[in-house]
Amino acid sequence: MQLEPESMAPVINRIKRAQGQLAGVLRMLEEGRDCEDVVTQLAAVSKALDRAGFAIVATGLQQCIAADGVESLDVKKMEKLFLSLA
């Protein structure tokens, strides 16, 4: 399934923000910042990436249904994608 680039703009923005957050986590580690602060920021990065992944799968599912109809939807493949994010 190919994703439409225009529908991925919010996901791309989310991933870019996560990339910036991850760079911040690296700086925090290099500066010897407090463990709790580092873990909090790392959890935020992880959540942002999880949400981006779910958005990609959900958009792909929506595009599959809209384009091909439910009959052609590979349910096992979509299940595998969802579970890979769990």
Side-chain angles (χ1 to χ4, degrees):
M1 125 186 64
Q2 295 291 322
L3 296 170
E4 297 171 6
E6 58 275 358
S7 66
M8 289 291 101
V11 175
I12 291 168
N13 289 336
R14 183 181 298 275
I15 291 173
K16 285 180 180 181
R17 279 194 307 273
Q19 186 177 30
Q21 287 178 301
L22 187 56
V25 170
L26 285 172
R27 274 192 309 276
M28 292 173 78
L29 289 170
E30 291 169 347
E31 295 169 358
R33 299 276 299 272
D34 182 66
C35 176
E36 185 177 349
D37 294 339
V38 173
V39 171
T40 299
Q41 288 304 309
L42 195 56
V45 173
S46 179
K47 185 174 180 177
L49 292 175
D50 287 345
R51 290 178 61 111
F54 285 124
I56 290 168
V57 173
T59 300
L61 179 59
Q62 181 183 28
Q63 289 176 10
C64 282
I65 291 172
D68 300 328
V70 177
E71 297 81 30
S72 67
L73 183 64
D74 186 344
V75 175
K76 288 292 183 188
K77 188 174 186 178
M78 295 307 295
E79 181 181 340
K80 184 177 178 181
L81 286 172
F82 275 113
L83 290 174
S84 71
L85 295 171

